[in-house]
Amino acid sequence: MGKPTILLVDGMALLFRGFFATSFRGNFMRNSEGIPTNGMYQYLKYMLNAIETFNPTHVVCCWDMGSKTFRTEMLPAYKANRSEPPEELIPQFDRIKEIMDIFTIPNVGLVNYEADDCIGTLAREYSEANEVMILTGDHDMLQLVDPGIQVAIMKKGQGNYDVFTHENFLEKKGIVPKQVIDMKALMGDSADNYPGVKGIGEKTALKLVQEYETIDNMLENIDQLPKGVQAKIKANMDMLHLSRELAEIKCDVPVSCALDEALWDCDKVLIGDRLKELNFTNLAKLV
């Protein structure tokens, strides 16, 4: 018998991805009450495909719990560049969690933290005795790759994944997983709206991290850096340190989820009936 495999689903990443993948023509699937369902439909399609592909024994879904977190307290501009969710998506947030309840998949989230932090915490805990697969479209999660923790990045098209493991990471990225944090600290993250060191892009950041391994080591040897790079770092020292804190996924937040609550052993008849009620008849055959 192999170890149990726990699939940790990045709920918001899948829901937003599903919504925008199916709404670009302005056509929204709606249920009999007139509520849009396209994000939920595509989310379920993604999740059921991943379950079929990775064959987990357990499934847990993690969610953001509002836009205010400890990171927005550190930097009010953090993610402030993101527009409000489309009004057709808003009613789908609670509905998809209700559907997870029917699937007996636990919904995990914690006010003041992001789903990433919940995923990081559970992944560390579970990986001590199990295999963990994180399902997301978010490359920030790559910092969590470890022995026992893999990250499946969703790619374009149904069922396409780029799977990062402890064994293949260096070859794929040229760095080790925890260096993802230092990379982001240097180059910033336009999606999350923090700048890192102004004027340092991905190429320079990669070179510095490969050469010096850590930001601390780089700063100890700052006099060896090219004059232009030195000047940029010295001018943005506070933001470099802040960006590193923002980039790091917290793996010690107070969340837990007992694995016996997350066993993937759903009542297929009940779920099939519920999917038909939602007008998701053709998804019922994926269960």
Side-chain angles (χ1 to χ4, degrees):
M1 281 284 284
K3 285 182 180 178
T5 300
I6 295 111
L7 182 70
L8 289 175
V9 178
D10 183 355
M12 283 303 188
L14 266 69
L15 189 62
F16 271 86
R17 188 186 186 93
F19 179 84
F20 288 113
T22 53
S23 66
F24 58 92
R25 295 189 197 91
N27 299 329
F28 298 102
M29 299 166 62
R30 293 179 189 272
N31 64 12
S32 51
E33 299 158 50
I35 292 168
T37 57
N38 63 309
M40 298 188 293
Y41 176 86
Q42 197 63 28
Y43 170 102
L44 289 169
K45 212 169 164 188
Y46 290 149
M47 187 188 76
L48 291 169
N49 183 276
I51 288 170
E52 190 185 358
T53 304
F54 302 114
N55 197 24
T57 50
H58 301 75
V59 183
V60 178
C61 192
C62 294
W63 300 94
D64 294 324
M65 303 294 283
S67 57
K68 295 279 178 271
T69 67
F70 75 94
R71 290 184 181 86
T72 51
E73 284 168 28
M74 289 163 66
L75 180 71
Y78 181 76
K79 289 192 177 179
N81 54 334
R82 300 194 178 185
S83 51
E84 289 294 307
E87 61 181 274
E88 293 85 1
L89 179 56
I90 292 167
Q92 301 185 55
F93 290 148
D94 290 336
R95 289 291 178 104
I96 192 65
K97 290 183 188 175
E98 288 168 16
I99 295 170
M100 292 300 94
D101 289 339
I102 296 162
F103 274 75
T104 62
I105 292 174
N107 291 304
V108 175
L110 186 64
V111 172
N112 208 35
Y113 294 95
E114 294 180 44
D116 300 25
D117 304 309
C118 298
I119 288 172
T121 300
L122 293 177
R124 288 272 183 272
E125 184 193 321
Y126 294 153
S127 67
E128 287 174 19
N130 312 279
E131 295 294 332
V132 174
M133 175 65 77
I134 296 168
L135 177 68
T136 185
D138 181 356
H139 285 73
D140 294 356
M141 296 279 195
L142 294 178
Q143 63 185 267
L144 298 173
V145 171
D146 218 14
I149 303 175
Q150 300 183 25
V151 174
I153 299 283
M154 299 167 68
K155 294 170 73 179
K156 274 202 172 123
Q158 185 71 30
N160 289 333
Y161 306 97
D162 196 359
V163 178
F164 290 85
T165 68
H166 183 64
E167 290 74 30
N168 72 19
F169 198 93
L170 184 62
E171 188 189 331
K172 282 186 169 215
K173 300 296 283 183
I175 53 174
V176 299
K178 64 176 182 290
Q179 290 176 314
V180 169
I181 301 164
D182 286 1
M183 279 279 296
K184 283 170 63 75
L186 284 161
M187 63 186 267
D189 185 329
S190 57
D192 288 346
N193 205 36
Y194 59 88
V197 176
K198 219 171 177 179
I200 288 187
E202 187 171 1
K203 261 186 174 164
T204 307
L206 181 61
K207 203 173 161 193
L208 289 169
V209 169
Q210 285 174 333
E211 191 167 344
Y212 293 100
E213 293 186 359
T214 66
I215 281 174
D216 293 335
N217 195 30
M218 179 195 75
L219 293 176
E220 279 171 29
N221 296 283
I222 196 163
D223 297 340
Q224 296 174 22
L225 300 179
K227 289 283 183 281
V229 174
Q230 268 188 58
K232 286 170 187 167
I233 290 169
K234 284 173 180 170
N236 293 274
M237 192 67 81
D238 288 349
M239 188 49 81
L240 172 65
H241 289 300
L242 179 58
S243 296
R244 180 165 57 171
E245 279 191 75
L246 294 170
E248 184 169 8
I249 292 172
K250 282 200 168 296
C251 294
D252 57 356
V253 302
V255 291
S256 62
C257 176
L259 279 182
D260 57 2
E261 291 172 22
L263 203 59
W264 176 246
D265 182 24
C266 60
D267 182 334
K268 293 186 178 185
V269 176
L270 174 71
I271 288 168
D273 290 346
R274 184 71 176 116
L275 288 170
K276 284 171 193 159
E277 278 170 38
L278 289 159
N279 301 335
F280 294 170
T281 310
N282 53 347
L283 276 185
K285 50 182 184 280
L286 294 176
V287 178

